Amino acid sequence: MPYLFTCPHCQTKTQVDDRYSGHKGQCATCGGDITVPYFTDAGAVQASATRSATAKRNKSTGLFVAAGLAVVILACIVFAAIRYGGQTVAALTENRLRSASMKNLQEIATALNAYADEFGTYPPAYTTSANGTPLHSWRVLILPYLDEVELYDQFDLSKPWSDEANMSVAYQMPGVYEHPDTNAVGYSMVPAYYYLTGPGTLFPKGKPLGPEDVKDNGSQTILVIEGRPTISSGMWTEPVDMDYGKMQGLVGGAVGIEPGGWIPGGVAMATVDGRAHFLPIGTPASTFNALVTPAGNEPLADDTLD
């Protein structure tokens, strides 16, 4: 097999057959002494070197491409984390608060129903003195049904909630009345759960109604709900609830007037059957109003509160 040989003296290139590998002689052009190299070994070495260099180049190229791809993927992950991570954390936080608040409401509803089982009606929105002065919220009256008998016994129910002796006791508010999002108010004596009072509700002015007065579906009639009405004292014992007559039924509407104000996505509530539910913002006012009335005979789909 012929190989290309270059004279080291005159740089003349000549085709030399590989059978002359290792032979000595003189260059046909310049007459200089030459030694023909072993072409087979040299070719093998050169081929090996070429393959090694090629492999290194391919490896380097592969590493470069892999590194570039890793950078692109990392950039995408960082972008997604920045764009969607905050939303995910917010959604998880809202779901946690919603579940915890619904648990509180279910416990309160159970206590209200236990009171009704004993007395035939739900506790009044507040007790009154002989001359009609409001004394204590219903939240005080159901303390024994929340396993808070010892706390209940410390109140003097013959005196107003604002009496000095009763105020000192009120600083022991049961945790079930406190909203899980304590950062929303920064004051732990503010209750988060209220009656809806007024004509057409379970709690009209005067005598409250009881489970037997609920002619609509009890699983679709509101018993107690989240709210943030103005409480001058900031105390859970103050006789304050939410006036249904001032509402338009807008879930998450004007804070202090409409239901909600705690969780951005809607409002948690409990129905007469003792179950807790969540009404999202955007719930039609007609649906909310139908859920308030205990005997309005408004038709609601079975899955309204699913």
Side-chain angles (χ1 to χ4, degrees):
M1 178 178 179
Y3 284 87
L4 186 65
F5 170 72
T6 302
C7 174
H9 305 293
C10 65
Q11 305 302 313
T12 299
K13 299 182 184 300
T14 306
Q15 292 283 344
V16 179
D17 196 274
D18 61 357
R19 68 175 179 271
Y20 296 110
S21 296
H23 287 204
K24 295 182 179 181
Q26 294 179 330
C27 174
T29 301
C30 68
D33 294 332
I34 60 173
T35 300
V36 179
Y38 289 90
F39 292 110
T40 302
D41 294 342
V45 172
Q46 179 64 32
S48 175
T50 301
R51 287 194 299 270
S52 177
T54 301
K56 288 181 179 179
R57 286 196 301 272
N58 290 341
K59 183 177 181 181
S60 298
T61 302
L63 289 174
F64 178 78
V65 172
L69 183 59
V71 170
V72 172
I73 293 174
L74 180 60
C76 291
I77 292 174
V78 171
F79 175 78
I82 293 174
R83 181 170 183 178
Y84 302 110
Q87 298 176 9
T88 300
V89 171
L92 290 174
T93 300
E94 182 174 325
N95 288 338
R96 177 183 60 79
L97 294 175
R98 178 191 305 182
S99 297
S101 185
M102 289 171 65
K103 182 179 179 181
N104 286 347
L105 282 160
Q106 192 162 324
E107 188 173 345
I108 293 170
T110 298
L112 288 169
N113 279 317
Y115 181 102
D117 287 343
E118 183 172 349
F119 294 99
T121 69
Y122 290 113
Y126 52 84
T127 59
T128 60
S129 65
N131 62 6
T133 301
L135 297 178
H136 292 274
S137 166
W138 57 269
R139 299 177 196 85
V140 176
L141 300 182
I142 66 170
L143 286 175
Y145 306 94
L146 292 170
D147 294 326
E148 295 284 358
V149 175
E150 184 177 345
L151 178 59
Y152 176 79
D153 289 340
Q154 295 179 57
F155 283 98
D156 185 344
L157 299 182
S158 67
K159 297 179 180 179
W161 63 275
S162 56
D163 182 84
E164 183 177 352
N166 286 327
M167 286 291 285
S168 63
V169 179
Y171 282 99
Q172 304 175 57
M173 183 178 81
V176 73
Y177 292 144
E178 182 180 3
H179 198 275
D181 187 10
T182 54
N183 293 328
V185 291
Y187 185 45
S188 62
M189 297 299 107
V190 175
Y193 309 106
Y194 299 85
Y195 280 169
L196 296 176
T197 61
T201 72
L202 274 171
F203 305 98
K205 188 175 181 179
K207 183 180 179 180
L209 304 182
E212 296 299 322
D213 298 304
V214 178
K215 305 305 179 184
D216 293 342
N217 189 338
S219 65
Q220 295 182 335
T221 302
I222 296 174
L223 179 57
V224 61
I225 195 168
E226 282 181 340
R228 293 185 66 177
T230 300
I231 299 181
S232 60
S233 67
M235 301 300 289
W236 59 282
T237 53
E238 183 179 352
V240 173
D241 281 290
M242 302 196 71
D243 187 349
Y244 176 61
K246 296 180 180 179
M247 294 183 178
Q248 297 181 24
L250 303 177
V251 174
V255 176
I257 298 177
E258 300 294 342
W262 290 93
I263 300 175
V267 59
M269 65 171 189
T271 46
V272 168
D273 64 348
R275 297 177 60 194
H277 307 274
F278 189 81
L279 281 179
I281 288 179
T283 298
S286 58
T287 297
F288 178 79
N289 293 331
L291 291 168
V292 173
T293 58
N297 197 31
E298 304 96 335
L300 286 172
D302 292 338
D303 61 353
T304 298
L305 295 178
D306 281 356

